Amino acid sequence: MIAPQDHQDPQDHQTHAKLGRRQLSHRYDGLAKVTGRAKYAAEFPVENIAYAYVVQATIPSGTIASIDQAAATRAAGVHSIITPFNAPKLTVPGNVNILQDTNVFFSGQPIAVVVARSLPEAEQAAKLLRIEYKAQPAKLDFNAVLKDARAPKRGGGDSHRGDPQASLAKATVVIDQTYSTPIQNHNPMEPHATVASWEGDKLNVYDATQGISGAQSSLARAFSIPPANVHVQCPFTGGGFGSKGYVWSHTILAAMAAKVAQRPVKLVLGRNQMFGPVGSRPNTSQHIKLAASSDGKLLLQQHDSTCYTSLISDWIESAAGATALLYDSESLTTSHSLVDLNLGMGTWMRAPGEATGSVGLEIALDELAEKLNIDPIQLRLINYAEKDPRQGLPWSSKHLRECYTQAADRFGWSKRTAQTGQHREGNKLIGYGMATANYGAGRRPSSAIVRILPNGRVFVGVGTQDLGTGTYTILAQTAADTLFLDPALVDVKLGDSTLPPSGGSGGSTTAASVCPGVYDAAVKAKLKLVQLAIADTQSPLHGAAEEDVQTKDGKLFLKSNPQRSETFTTLLGRNGDTPVEAIATSELAKDRDTFSSHSWGAIFAEVAVDADTHMVQVCRMVGTYDIGTLINQTTGINQLVGGVVWGVSMALHEETLIDPTFGRTVNENFADYHVPVNADIHQIDVTALDIPDYKFNPLGSRGIGEIGITGAAAAIANAIYNATGKRVRDLPITLDKIMNA
Ligand code: MOS
C-alpha cells in the first residue's frame, strides 16, 4: 500500500480525503438484481445436470448400522446413491458429515446423497432408503449439563486485569446476574447451493459462498488436486450473515456426487436443511458481575459465558470478548466455557460474540445505573475507555462520546423518566432504553486488478464476492475516485477464483480490505498510463515530470499547464490499442501494533408494551455509529438498518427450538422460526458520524456489517424494563416472560 503522504501524486492525497465523493447513489448491481439478470449459484445453466438430495440422520447420537439401498436404487430417475459404505475416501481434516464414517453426532447430519434426474425423484428415492442405526444416549439439554461445562481445547481468549477480590471488597454496589440468549439460525434469502462439474481432474463449481478462496482450497484439499484445478464462481451471494463463511459438507458432497455420478450435479439445501447442518449461533448463558463505587466508577467487571458446542468442533460464541475493552475498570475477568451437545456445529452469525455479549453486559449496566441512580449514558461516560484497556494502546480513532450525544438528542432521551412504569399512553406502557454498540475493526491483505481500456472504460477485478452488501458499488466508486472519473465508466467483476485473491466477506473486513487493494491497483495503472504518455513523442504530455501529470474525466493533463492534455482513448489508441493494467496487493499498516482499532455506536429504543397482553411494539430505534469513513450512504446505512432489524429480531422473536428427545430442530421453517415482518418494524433512524480513521487504513473506513445488531437487543430489553418494571434476562423477550417476571 502506498500511504497517501508518501505518494508523489498530490491528487491521491485528495482522493483519500474525499473518498466517497463520486458516490453511486444507486446500487451498482441493483438493475441486474431487480430484472433477474443477476445469476445466483443454483441458477447457472449446466448441460446434462443431475440433482442431489442430502439425506439427514434422524437420531442425534450413535452410528449407522446399515443402509439398504436396493429399493431406492431401482426408483425412477436415480443415477447414484452415496453412503458412508460406498463413498470415495477424501482427505479432509476431521472429515465430518462427508460420509467418511458411520458416526452420527447430531440429528440432521448428512448421512447419504441421492443423485437423480430431477429433485423430486431424488427426494422420492431418499425415502426408500432403509437406514438402521445403533443409537447412543444423546446430550441435548443444555441446562442439565451446564455444570459439566469445560474449557475450550484451544483456549477461550480470556482476559484478566487487576485484583478482582480487592476491587469487589471496595465496591458499594454490585450486580450479579445471569443472562441468556438462544440458539439462532441465519437463513439468508438464498439457501446454500452448489453446482459442481468435473472435466478430468479439473473441478468447476458455482457455490453460494462468503469466501470463494476458502471454497477453492477446501475442495482442492478434499480431492487432493491443486487449487488451480478448482474454479469457483459466485458473482452474487444472496445473503450469508456468517452462514456461508465456512465450507460446509454440502459443497464437498456436491463435488463428490458429480464425480460418482459422472455428470454435473446441482445441490440446493431446502429451507428446513438450513437449521443445523450449516451452522447455528450457539446459545449463551452469561454470568456477569459488576461492582462499582457510589460515584459510578466500575471497580470490577466479571463476564463468564458458556455456550453449547457440537461434538465435532470446539466453536466458541465469544460473548465476553468485547467486555475486556468496552469500559474502564481497575479489575476484570472474562472467560468462555463449552457444553458438549449432540447438535450441529456453531458458527459465525452476524457480530459473533458482540451480538450476544452486548445483551448481557448492556442490560447489566442498565441494572447498575438504576441501583446507583445514575443516568445510563452518564454511567457509560464515567467509565469511558480513553485507551484500549487490554494493552493500554491508543485507539486509532474513537468518537463514541459524539455517538451518545447525537443519538440521545435525536431520540429525545432527556424526556425519559428513570422510574419505571411512569409513562402511559392509553393502554400502552412507554419505555426508553439505550446501549452501546461496538465491533472490532479488521483488515486483510487484498489483491486487485485494474485495467484502463482503450474505449475509455475501466475494468476492476477482485477475487472476493458481494454477499449483497454493496461491494460492487464501493469498488466502482474507489476506482472512479482514484482515477477521477465517472463511476458509470467502471465495470467491476467479482466472485471468480481466477481473479486476484482477496479475503472472505466476513467479520466486517471486506470494505476495509478490498477498497485499499483496488485503490493501489488503480494508482499503479494510472502511473503506467502517465509513463506511457511521457515516453510517447506524439503525446502533448511527452517529456513532462510524472508528478505534474494528473487525470480527470478520462483525460491526462499537466497540472502546471492544463492546456497540455489528451484523452486516455487517444493515448491508448496510438499505442497499440491495448489496455494498461496493474495488479496490486494492499498490505496491512506497518505500525498496526501501536494502536487499537474498533467501531462504536449508541443505540436507543422506544417501546410500547400493552398493559394487558404485554405485547411489545418497538416504536423507534435511533442510532449513531462511528465506523470511520462512510464510503457509500445508500449501502452503508442500509447495512446499519439491517443490523438494527436483526436486533429487534434477537430481542423479541428469534429462537431455534430443539426437541429434547430426538434432537431435531422443531421450528425448522419460517412459520415457526419467528423473524420480524414489516408490521414489527417501525421507525429506524440511523446515522454515521463519517469521521475517517486514517491510522486504520488509507481510506479511513472500518467495517460496517455487524455493528448494527450489537447493543440493539439490550436497548430494547432496557426499554421494556423502563416501561414495565419487568426485567427479562432471557432472550427472546416473549410476552409470557414479561408476564411472569
Ligand atoms: Mo459475518 S458473521 O463474519 O458474515
Side-chain angles (χ1 to χ4, degrees):
M1 184 77 222
I2 306 162
Q5 60 272 25
D6 303 341
H7 197 256
Q8 328 137 317
D9 184 346
Q11 267 193 1
D12 295 315
H13 186 77
Q14 267 181 40
T15 303
H16 291 307
K18 291 182 185 164
L19 186 110
R21 172 197 43 176
R22 282 156 211 269
Q23 290 222 345
L24 277 168
S25 57
H26 59 278
R27 277 179 186 271
Y28 175 93
D29 46 343
L31 191 61
K33 281 184 173 171
V34 298
T35 54
R37 270 193 294 114
K39 272 203 179 59
Y40 294 82
E43 299 179 323
F44 283 88
V46 178
E47 262 182 54
N48 194 27
I49 196 137
Y51 294 79
Y53 178 75
V54 173
V55 183
Q56 295 169 273
T58 54
I59 63 160
S61 176
T63 52
I64 304 162
S66 63
I67 298 181
D68 176 354
Q69 61 181 66
T73 307
R74 285 194 304 270
V78 170
H79 294 307
S80 309
I81 295 172
I82 313 167
T83 72
F85 302 102
N86 67 10
K89 289 296 160 217
L90 302 183
T91 45
V92 175
N95 55 19
V96 286
N97 305 345
I98 47 168
L99 317 184
Q100 300 297 294
D101 58 48
T102 56
N103 294 323
V104 175
F105 295 105
F106 65 98
S107 181
Q109 179 185 318
I111 53 164
V113 175
V114 178
V115 186
R117 186 168 54 186
S118 70
L119 184 58
E121 284 170 315
E123 279 195 62
Q124 186 54 37
K127 288 191 186 125
L128 299 174
L129 291 173
R130 297 254 174 284
I131 303 165
E132 300 288 340
Y133 298 97
K134 263 190 229 132
Q136 294 286 335
K139 288 184 189 169
L140 293 166
D141 184 344
F142 179 81
N143 289 316
V145 285
L146 185 52
K147 59 178 183 335
D148 303 327
R150 61 172 175 84
K153 287 180 197 118
R154 275 174 305 201
D158 302 344
S159 289
H160 297 275
R161 62 175 182 258
D163 178 347
Q165 286 313 320
S167 296
L168 189 60
K170 281 194 280 183
T172 47
V173 177
V174 177
I175 295 293
D176 188 342
Q177 290 290 353
T178 300
Y179 306 86
S180 50
T181 62
I183 300 175
Q184 299 180 330
N185 286 98
H186 321 63
N187 280 295
M189 271 208 276
E190 179 202 31
H192 293 255
T194 307
V195 173
S197 56
W198 289 89
E199 282 166 61
D201 66 346
K202 289 206 164 67
L203 174 62
N204 272 300
V205 166
Y206 296 100
D207 194 35
T209 179
Q210 287 178 239
I212 53 170
S213 313
Q216 182 187 38
S217 56
S218 291
L219 285 163
R221 198 171 51 211
F223 294 96
S224 303
I225 51 176
N229 282 19
V230 182
H231 186 192
V232 180
Q233 292 175 78
C234 178
F236 298 98
T237 310
F241 312 108
S243 70
K244 292 171 185 163
Y246 186 84
V247 183
W248 299 103
S249 59
H250 66 272
T251 299
I252 292 164
L253 291 175
M256 182 198 276
K259 194 158 218 180
V260 171
Q262 297 186 311
R263 67 191 76 217
V265 160
K266 181 189 292 200
L267 196 166
V268 181
L269 295 188
R271 183 56 66 185
N272 61 320
Q273 296 180 312
M274 302 286 285
F275 292 82
V278 284
S280 306
R281 190 202 290 281
N283 65 327
T284 64
S285 173
Q286 305 173 37
H287 176 219
I288 295 184
K289 198 186 272 185
L290 297 179
S293 51
S294 56
D295 59 358
K297 191 80 205 75
L298 279 168
L299 297 166
L300 166 69
Q301 302 178 81
Q302 183 186 335
H303 194 166
D304 301 307
S305 184
T306 305
C307 68
Y308 98 78
T309 190
S310 70
L311 299 178
I312 46 185
S313 80
D314 254 19
W315 201 88
I316 307 165
E317 172 71 16
S318 54
T323 303
L325 64 93
L326 262 173
Y327 303 105
D328 256 337
S329 62
E330 58 175 41
S331 295
L332 169 131
T333 64
T334 67
S335 75
H336 295 93
S337 310
L338 297 173
V339 161
D340 297 300
L341 293 183
N342 286 94
L343 295 176
M345 276 170 65
T347 195
W348 308 285
M349 181 162 164
R350 205 164 194 172
E354 282 78 356
T356 47
S358 63
V359 169
L361 183 63
E362 295 293 322
I363 300 177
L365 277 163
D366 202 63
E367 300 199 46
L368 183 65
E370 190 193 29
K371 264 201 171 176
L372 288 162
N373 197 21
I374 293 177
D375 179 85
I377 301 177
Q378 193 53 32
L379 178 64
R380 286 161 174 85
L381 290 173
I382 291 168
N383 297 290
Y384 197 84
E386 300 289 354
K387 288 180 177 176
D388 186 334
R390 291 170 302 182
Q391 312 91 355
L393 290 176
W395 303 108
S396 53
S397 173
K398 178 176 182 178
H399 299 275
L400 176 56
R401 272 198 191 86
E402 292 96 306
C403 295
Y404 290 132
T405 312
Q406 287 196 17
D409 280 355
R410 284 210 317 288
F411 181 79
W413 182 253
S414 58
K415 295 197 202 81
R416 173 184 183 263
T417 327
Q419 209 189 335
T420 62
Q422 297 301 298
H423 185 169
R424 194 170 174 135
E425 287 174 13
N427 205 36
K428 302 272 190 242
L429 298 166
I430 309 295
Y432 288 3
M434 62 82 58
T436 306
N438 83 95
Y439 197 74
R443 250 187 99 183
R444 307 170 218 264
S446 179
S447 306
I449 182 164
V450 168
R451 200 175 281 146
I452 303 169
L453 301 159
N455 66 5
R457 298 191 68 84
V458 172
F459 170 85
V460 173
V462 186
T464 189
Q465 54 290 310
D466 187 333
L467 75 159
T469 49
T471 309
Y472 281 105
T473 307
I474 59 172
L475 293 186
Q477 261 182 232
T478 303
D481 267 354
T482 315
L483 297 167
F484 285 68
L485 51 77
D486 181 354
L489 294 171
V490 182
D491 299 306
V492 183
K493 182 167 179 180
L494 303 176
D496 190 314
S497 60
T498 58
L499 292 167
S502 182
S505 321
S508 295
T509 60
T510 312
S513 308
V514 298
C515 291
V518 167
Y519 168 75
D520 279 4
V523 166
K524 239 171 130 175
K526 180 161 140 182
L527 193 61
K528 278 191 178 175
L529 195 69
V530 168
Q531 286 164 348
L532 184 68
I534 292 170
D536 180 354
T537 51
Q538 292 176 60
S539 172
L541 302 156
H542 176 67
E546 257 174 35
E547 55 276 17
D548 195 20
V549 186
Q550 301 204 340
T551 62
K552 193 169 190 331
D553 296 332
K555 271 192 198 144
L556 296 143
F557 65 96
L558 285 192
K559 197 180 150 203
S560 57
N561 179 9
Q563 304 307 327
R564 277 179 65 189
S565 81
E566 72 170 328
T567 63
F568 298 177
T569 314
T570 321
L571 173 65
L572 291 173
R574 233 184 12 254
N575 285 274
D577 220 16
T578 52
V580 157
E581 71 173 40
I583 296 177
T585 303
S586 70
E587 299 297 346
L588 304 184
K590 283 196 189 69
D591 60 349
R592 65 184 180 280
D593 295 338
T594 64
F595 54 82
S596 179
S597 295
H598 214 80
S599 281
W600 310 97
I603 179 77
F604 291 75
E606 176 183 337
V607 300
V609 184
D610 188 290
D612 299 317
T613 65
H614 300 92
M615 284 267 285
V616 178
Q617 188 188 72
V618 180
C619 318
R620 280 194 305 144
M621 300 285 291
V622 176
T624 295
Y625 297 88
D626 170 24
I627 43 83
T629 308
L630 178 64
I631 298 180
N632 184 285
Q633 177 77 20
T634 307
T635 61
I637 295 299
N638 219 293
Q639 289 260 11
L640 290 172
V641 169
V644 172
V645 171
W646 273 56
V648 175
S649 192
M650 187 172 190
L652 303 179
H653 303 281
E654 274 183 81
E655 177 172 27
T656 298
L657 298 163
I658 305 295
D659 178 281
T661 309
F662 300 105
R664 283 287 293 271
T665 300
V666 177
N667 52 345
E668 53 182 23
N669 59 69
F670 277 161
D672 300 312
Y673 185 90
H674 293 173
V675 292
V677 297
N678 269 328
D680 295 307
I681 300 300
H682 299 272
Q683 245 180 287
I684 295 184
D685 164 19
V686 301
T687 57
L689 294 177
D690 197 14
I691 302 173
D693 181 355
Y694 290 130
K695 254 182 138 54
F696 173 63
N697 78 9
L699 312 175
S701 180
R702 300 186 300 259
I704 201 166
E706 337 241 350
I707 193 170
I709 186 176
T710 71
I716 294 166
N718 295 340
I720 291 171
Y721 177 75
N722 182 242
T724 62
K726 306 286 189 93
R727 186 65 79 179
V728 180
R729 301 184 181 89
D730 175 42
L731 263 48
I733 305 176
T734 47
L735 47 86
D736 55 309
K737 290 180 191 168
I738 302 176
M739 218 175 277
N740 295 324

mmCIF file of all heavy atoms in Angstrom, residues 186 210 240-243 245 348-352 439 467 505-508 706, ligand 1:
data_model
loop_
_atom_site.group_PDB
_atom_site.id
_atom_site.type_symbol
_atom_site.label_atom_id
_atom_site.label_comp_id
_atom_site.label_asym_id
_atom_site.label_seq_id
_atom_site.Cartn_x
_atom_site.Cartn_y
_atom_site.Cartn_z
ATOM 1 N N HIS A 186 -29.291 -18.528 10.664
ATOM 2 C CA HIS A 186 -29.178 -17.329 9.824
ATOM 3 C C HIS A 186 -30.284 -17.159 8.793
ATOM 4 O O HIS A 186 -30.889 -16.122 8.697
ATOM 5 C CB HIS A 186 -27.853 -17.314 9.069
ATOM 6 C CG HIS A 186 -26.670 -17.804 9.840
ATOM 7 N ND1 HIS A 186 -26.546 -19.082 10.305
ATOM 8 C CD2 HIS A 186 -25.541 -17.171 10.214
ATOM 9 C CE1 HIS A 186 -25.395 -19.208 10.937
ATOM 10 N NE2 HIS A 186 -24.761 -18.073 10.899
ATOM 11 N N GLN A 210 -19.460 -17.005 1.079
ATOM 12 C CA GLN A 210 -18.862 -15.744 1.528
ATOM 13 C C GLN A 210 -17.350 -15.777 1.326
ATOM 14 O O GLN A 210 -16.661 -14.872 1.769
ATOM 15 C CB GLN A 210 -19.172 -15.497 3.006
ATOM 16 C CG GLN A 210 -20.612 -15.110 3.277
ATOM 17 C CD GLN A 210 -20.918 -14.923 4.745
ATOM 18 O OE1 GLN A 210 -21.783 -15.610 5.267
ATOM 19 N NE2 GLN A 210 -20.244 -14.001 5.424
ATOM 20 N N GLY A 240 -25.654 -13.983 3.609
ATOM 21 C CA GLY A 240 -24.892 -15.042 4.270
ATOM 22 C C GLY A 240 -24.925 -14.885 5.788
ATOM 23 O O GLY A 240 -25.221 -15.805 6.508
ATOM 24 N N PHE A 241 -24.588 -13.673 6.229
ATOM 25 C CA PHE A 241 -24.626 -13.329 7.653
ATOM 26 C C PHE A 241 -23.719 -14.247 8.469
ATOM 27 O O PHE A 241 -23.945 -14.462 9.652
ATOM 28 C CB PHE A 241 -26.068 -13.359 8.170
ATOM 29 C CG PHE A 241 -27.027 -12.616 7.279
ATOM 30 C CD1 PHE A 241 -27.949 -13.289 6.506
ATOM 31 C CD2 PHE A 241 -26.955 -11.233 7.179
ATOM 32 C CE1 PHE A 241 -28.799 -12.594 5.652
ATOM 33 C CE2 PHE A 241 -27.805 -10.533 6.335
ATOM 34 C CZ PHE A 241 -28.724 -11.218 5.571
ATOM 35 N N GLY A 242 -22.708 -14.816 7.832
ATOM 36 C CA GLY A 242 -21.781 -15.710 8.517
ATOM 37 C C GLY A 242 -21.995 -17.161 8.132
ATOM 38 O O GLY A 242 -21.069 -17.957 8.157
ATOM 39 N N SER A 243 -23.216 -17.524 7.735
ATOM 40 C CA SER A 243 -23.501 -18.946 7.473
ATOM 41 C C SER A 243 -22.737 -19.474 6.265
ATOM 42 O O SER A 243 -22.461 -20.655 6.176
ATOM 43 C CB SER A 243 -24.998 -19.173 7.276
ATOM 44 O OG SER A 243 -25.431 -18.612 6.054
ATOM 45 N N GLY A 245 -19.707 -18.510 5.460
ATOM 46 C CA GLY A 245 -18.281 -18.235 5.640
ATOM 47 C C GLY A 245 -17.472 -19.509 5.754
ATOM 48 O O GLY A 245 -16.288 -19.545 5.423
ATOM 49 N N TRP A 348 -20.088 -18.563 12.903
ATOM 50 C CA TRP A 348 -20.260 -17.112 12.900
ATOM 51 C C TRP A 348 -21.695 -16.757 12.529
ATOM 52 O O TRP A 348 -22.235 -17.291 11.570
ATOM 53 C CB TRP A 348 -19.348 -16.475 11.857
ATOM 54 C CG TRP A 348 -17.929 -16.862 11.947
ATOM 55 C CD1 TRP A 348 -17.019 -16.439 12.875
ATOM 56 C CD2 TRP A 348 -17.204 -17.736 11.050
ATOM 57 N NE1 TRP A 348 -15.794 -17.005 12.612
ATOM 58 C CE2 TRP A 348 -15.871 -17.796 11.505
ATOM 59 C CE3 TRP A 348 -17.556 -18.466 9.929
ATOM 60 C CZ2 TRP A 348 -14.891 -18.554 10.877
ATOM 61 C CZ3 TRP A 348 -16.577 -19.233 9.291
ATOM 62 C CH2 TRP A 348 -15.275 -19.260 9.770
ATOM 63 N N MET A 349 -22.293 -15.871 13.273
ATOM 64 C CA MET A 349 -23.566 -15.282 12.848
ATOM 65 C C MET A 349 -23.480 -13.809 13.219
ATOM 66 O O MET A 349 -23.030 -13.462 14.304
ATOM 67 C CB MET A 349 -24.737 -15.968 13.546
ATOM 68 C CG MET A 349 -26.102 -15.432 13.132
ATOM 69 S SD MET A 349 -27.391 -16.637 13.580
ATOM 70 C CE MET A 349 -28.851 -15.661 13.461
ATOM 71 N N ARG A 350 -23.916 -12.987 12.325
ATOM 72 C CA ARG A 350 -23.801 -11.523 12.419
ATOM 73 C C ARG A 350 -23.343 -11.017 13.795
ATOM 74 O O ARG A 350 -24.053 -11.142 14.771
ATOM 75 C CB ARG A 350 -25.118 -10.863 12.040
ATOM 76 C CG ARG A 350 -24.912 -9.446 11.536
ATOM 77 C CD ARG A 350 -26.126 -8.948 10.818
ATOM 78 N NE ARG A 350 -25.780 -7.738 10.066
ATOM 79 C CZ ARG A 350 -26.602 -7.144 9.211
ATOM 80 N NH1 ARG A 350 -27.796 -7.635 8.997
ATOM 81 N NH2 ARG A 350 -26.232 -6.059 8.567
ATOM 82 N N ALA A 351 -22.153 -10.408 13.824
ATOM 83 C CA ALA A 351 -21.499 -9.960 15.055
ATOM 84 C C ALA A 351 -21.345 -11.100 16.053
ATOM 85 O O ALA A 351 -21.811 -11.016 17.188
ATOM 86 C CB ALA A 351 -22.216 -8.783 15.685
ATOM 87 N N PRO A 352 -20.689 -12.202 15.606
ATOM 88 C CA PRO A 352 -20.484 -13.320 16.523
ATOM 89 C C PRO A 352 -19.748 -12.822 17.777
ATOM 90 O O PRO A 352 -18.736 -12.150 17.668
ATOM 91 C CB PRO A 352 -19.628 -14.305 15.729
ATOM 92 C CG PRO A 352 -19.041 -13.525 14.594
ATOM 93 C CD PRO A 352 -20.002 -12.408 14.316
ATOM 94 N N TYR A 439 -18.005 -3.059 17.568
ATOM 95 C CA TYR A 439 -17.481 -4.215 16.831
ATOM 96 C C TYR A 439 -16.031 -3.930 16.449
ATOM 97 O O TYR A 439 -15.666 -2.786 16.163
ATOM 98 C CB TYR A 439 -18.312 -4.529 15.579
ATOM 99 C CG TYR A 439 -18.034 -5.926 15.069
ATOM 100 C CD1 TYR A 439 -18.538 -7.036 15.751
ATOM 101 C CD2 TYR A 439 -17.221 -6.140 13.961
ATOM 102 C CE1 TYR A 439 -18.243 -8.321 15.320
ATOM 103 C CE2 TYR A 439 -16.932 -7.426 13.529
ATOM 104 C CZ TYR A 439 -17.448 -8.514 14.211
ATOM 105 O OH TYR A 439 -17.154 -9.778 13.783
ATOM 106 N N LEU A 467 -21.726 -10.208 -0.964
ATOM 107 C CA LEU A 467 -22.789 -11.026 -0.382
ATOM 108 C C LEU A 467 -24.100 -10.269 -0.276
ATOM 109 O O LEU A 467 -25.011 -10.688 0.428
ATOM 110 C CB LEU A 467 -22.370 -11.680 0.936
ATOM 111 C CG LEU A 467 -22.260 -10.947 2.239
ATOM 112 C CD1 LEU A 467 -22.348 -11.955 3.382
ATOM 113 C CD2 LEU A 467 -20.940 -10.240 2.351
ATOM 114 N N SER A 505 -15.887 -12.455 2.671
ATOM 115 C CA SER A 505 -16.779 -11.370 3.074
ATOM 116 C C SER A 505 -17.285 -11.719 4.462
ATOM 117 O O SER A 505 -18.301 -12.377 4.610
ATOM 118 C CB SER A 505 -17.982 -11.259 2.141
ATOM 119 O OG SER A 505 -17.609 -11.476 0.816
ATOM 120 N N GLY A 506 -16.561 -11.281 5.462
ATOM 121 C CA GLY A 506 -16.965 -11.603 6.819
ATOM 122 C C GLY A 506 -16.216 -10.765 7.815
ATOM 123 O O GLY A 506 -15.239 -10.090 7.475
ATOM 124 N N GLY A 507 -16.684 -10.785 9.052
ATOM 125 C CA GLY A 507 -16.002 -10.074 10.123
ATOM 126 C C GLY A 507 -15.933 -8.576 9.902
ATOM 127 O O GLY A 507 -15.037 -7.908 10.423
ATOM 128 N N SER A 508 -16.837 -8.026 9.105
ATOM 129 C CA SER A 508 -16.835 -6.587 8.799
ATOM 130 C C SER A 508 -15.473 -6.124 8.283
ATOM 131 O O SER A 508 -15.008 -5.038 8.589
ATOM 132 C CB SER A 508 -17.219 -5.768 10.044
ATOM 133 O OG SER A 508 -18.540 -6.036 10.434
ATOM 134 N N GLU A 706 -21.532 -5.636 10.862
ATOM 135 C CA GLU A 706 -22.006 -6.328 12.063
ATOM 136 C C GLU A 706 -22.469 -5.388 13.178
ATOM 137 O O GLU A 706 -23.282 -5.768 14.016
ATOM 138 C CB GLU A 706 -20.909 -7.246 12.631
ATOM 139 C CG GLU A 706 -19.887 -7.646 11.613
ATOM 140 C CD GLU A 706 -19.764 -9.141 11.343
ATOM 141 O OE1 GLU A 706 -20.341 -9.952 12.064
ATOM 142 O OE2 GLU A 706 -19.055 -9.468 10.377
HETATM 143 MO MO1 MOS B 1 -20.022 -12.323 9.358
HETATM 144 S S1 MOS B 1 -20.890 -13.269 10.963
HETATM 145 O O1 MOS B 1 -18.392 -12.513 9.645
HETATM 146 O O2 MOS B 1 -20.675 -12.850 7.904
#
